Amino acid sequence: MHLRSASCILGVMALSLRSARTASPEAEISPVSSLVQNKRVAEALAAIDQLGVWTTEQQIRLTEIPAPTFQESARGEAIRKLFASARLRTRTDSAGNVIGERPGVSRRDAILISAHLDTVFPQGTCTKVQRDGRRLTAPGISDNGTGLAALACLARALHIAKLRTHLTLLFAANPCEEGEGNLRGMRKLTETFRGRLRAVIAVDGAATDHITTMALASRRVEIALCGSGGHSWADFGMPNPAHALARGITKFLSIRVPDSPRTTFNVGVIQAGTAVNTICGRAVAKVDMRSESAAELDRLEAALRKSIESGVGEEMAAAAQAGHTTDPRIEIAYRTLGERPGGELPADAPLLEAIRQADRYLNNQSRLERSSTDANIPLSLGIPAIAVGGGGRSGGAHSPCEWYDPTCRELGVKRILLTVLALSGVEP
Ligand SMILES: [Zn+2]
């Protein structure tokens, strides 16, 4: 009897799961228009408004704790305390992800809301926030002070409203989004929670005008040219790795990339030499390449390698002409610093419908965007994911004069809250 009714229930569950999969995206979410009628949801929205000044104070405090990529632990500990004060169950994993878990009715299925901890600024950069009216200026104030502040505000607002969600909410402040971090934090999060994640929302920077649903594939390589080195006068004409690198890069810069699929490159770092009167022993360049097409990315990297080899060839030929033997040679070493896979959120994903409903309710205009963010990893694994801003306005990202203005920040945080609740559903 028991067994039969159990199998009956299982049969019904399997049926409803199947029909859920084939249902329209609207059918798979809690409509935002009815969610906002819920008293606790209304309280959470009101709390976001009331937390405005507090949220900006947290953003300033977090931004002033330096967090270059690979050195995020002090900032991570500060946000862990914020998570704990909102009664999230916190832990820090082996990759340095600070995770705050807010159990839902379902302990298994979860929505991950993340913000990266790291900045592009090296240790020693002054991170003191300058205030000028509502405008805040400091390296990293928006990217990603805004994302971290949004997570802190969201967790606190949910706690104040005592909101019970159906799905478990996982808040994560993750390391290694910038520079050579190669999305290590997000890779670890998707590995840990794979199978449980119904959606991932990465909060990165300011604004409310975009939804990043397309992950831009990118590749970052280091090229190192090594020679024997020598004296600028006595050994003149000897193969010089710095000269060879300059020749190679010049060739690479003249190659044409298509507008569509949009393809870009940047020689971001060039390092060589120890003294002006020395033929250096080693010259290094770091190159970032991005494309909407994986094939174009392959073509671009092949062109880079060919250009560098050709530059080295010219340098060797010039040395031979100047009477130097072709020994010592310049050796070329390539190293992949990072590879971000591409991916795309399907147009009929419930996650997209959820944020569109949130935008309609909040009267917010937004467009779909392609970008390279933490969302690349879940998207490449087929997990529904988007990256959005945390509200407010900003400029000068990745520069020392980066600024942020928190006017209308509440809109950004409410937008994320309603998207999460529409996907998760709440207790009546
Ligand atoms: Zn960022």
Side-chain angles (χ1 to χ4, degrees):
M1 179 69 184
H2 266 107
L3 272 175
R4 184 175 297 173
S5 54
S7 68
C8 235
I9 291 165
L10 283 174
V12 171
M13 277 173 66
L15 197 72
S16 64
L17 275 176
R18 260 201 304 278
S19 55
R21 247 178 241 125
T22 51
S24 65
E26 292 94 324
E28 292 192 45
I29 64 171
S30 305
V32 168
S33 53
S34 47
L35 268 178
V36 292
Q37 309 295 325
N38 179 304
K39 185 171 149 276
R40 294 199 191 280
V41 173
E43 279 172 17
L45 289 168
I48 291 169
D49 285 324
Q50 286 149 17
L51 287 169
V53 173
W54 178 87
T55 306
T56 298
E57 274 164 17
Q58 304 318 310
Q59 182 168 347
I60 291 170
R61 202 166 58 80
L62 292 166
T63 300
E64 289 186 343
I65 305 170
T69 305
F70 304 121
Q71 297 169 69
E72 303 96 336
S73 58
R75 186 177 288 184
E77 181 52 22
I79 191 119
R80 194 195 62 74
K81 286 181 180 152
L82 283 171
F83 284 171
S85 73
R87 301 290 184 275
L88 303 184
R89 297 178 181 174
T90 66
R91 66 179 188 277
T92 302
D93 72 11
S94 59
N97 288 302
V98 177
I99 300 158
E101 186 157 354
R102 194 171 192 281
V105 177
S106 162
R107 298 292 168 110
R108 193 180 171 281
D109 289 350
I111 299 172
L112 173 66
I113 311 145
S114 73
H116 70 83
L117 283 162
D118 55 327
T119 72
V120 294
F121 303 98
Q123 203 63 261
T125 303
C126 175
T127 52
K128 182 89 189 121
V129 176
Q130 307 294 326
R131 290 180 191 236
D132 180 11
R134 290 186 67 78
R135 187 185 271 236
L136 308 169
T137 303
I141 182 70
S142 179
D143 184 8
N144 194 20
T146 312
L148 295 169
L151 257 57
C153 177
L154 206 55
R156 203 170 177 90
L158 287 164
H159 175 59
I160 290 170
K162 300 189 180 62
L163 231 161
R164 186 96 202 274
T165 53
H166 284 154
L167 301 187
T168 288
L169 305 186
L170 295 163
F171 290 79
N174 59 286
C176 295
E177 193 273 344
E178 302 283 11
E180 293 168 30
N182 202 23
L183 308 184
R184 194 178 68 176
M186 182 54 80
R187 284 178 205 269
K188 177 77 181 170
L189 288 169
T190 50
E191 188 188 302
T192 305
F193 298 110
R194 193 151 192 200
R196 288 182 62 191
L197 295 180
R198 294 268 292 269
V200 177
I201 300 174
V203 190
D204 199 343
T208 51
D209 61 351
H210 65 278
I211 311 166
T212 301
T213 56
M214 296 165 278
L216 180 63
S218 73
R219 204 168 292 168
R220 290 158 185 188
V221 298
E222 180 192 81
I223 303 139
L225 302 187
C226 293
S228 62
H231 192 281
S232 64
W233 169 259
D235 298 316
F236 176 67
M238 167 192 273
N240 183 326
H243 295 184
L245 186 64
R247 291 179 196 271
I249 288 174
T250 306
K251 287 176 190 294
F252 177 60
L253 298 185
S254 68
I255 74 152
R256 291 176 68 88
V257 287
D259 292 332
S260 176
R262 183 168 148 82
T263 303
T264 66
F265 58 79
N266 181 56
V267 181
V269 173
I270 297 177
Q271 287 165 329
T274 51
V276 69
N277 55 347
T278 295
I279 295 169
C280 73
R282 184 177 150 90
V284 173
K286 293 180 181 179
V287 185
D288 169 276
M289 295 168 280
R290 303 178 186 217
S291 180
E292 290 171 357
S293 144
E296 278 303 326
L297 209 51
D298 287 340
R299 249 195 294 280
L300 192 56
E301 185 176 353
L304 172 66
R305 287 175 180 248
K306 201 172 155 214
S307 302
I308 296 296
E309 278 151 30
S310 165
V312 168
E314 265 185 18
E315 179 67 9
M316 297 305 295
Q321 221 167 33
H324 277 261
T325 62
T326 51
D327 221 33
R329 294 196 57 81
I330 292 178
E331 302 292 342
I332 309 172
Y334 294 100
R335 189 161 69 97
T336 301
L337 300 173
E339 181 139 32
R340 295 184 174 203
E344 201 164 325
L345 182 71
D348 62 353
L351 172 58
L352 189 56
E353 175 60 22
I355 192 162
R356 284 200 157 130
Q357 286 198 14
D359 276 343
R360 269 198 296 278
Y361 173 74
L362 295 165
N363 207 9
N364 181 54
Q365 304 279 331
S366 66
R367 59 178 195 283
L368 302 188
E369 205 176 74
R370 184 187 297 274
S371 183
S372 178
T373 67
D374 270 325
N376 278 49
I377 299 299
L379 283 173
S380 74
L381 298 169
I383 300 168
I386 53 172
V388 293
R393 293 185 308 127
S394 72
H398 291 200
S399 86
C401 48
E402 184 172 342
W403 61 269
Y404 178 71
D405 180 337
T407 307
C408 296
R409 176 216 298 283
E410 298 74 21
L411 174 65
V413 184
K414 287 176 183 175
R415 185 178 185 228
I416 299 164
L417 174 78
L418 291 175
T419 304
V420 167
L421 298 183
L423 277 176
S424 157
V426 296
E427 283 290 88

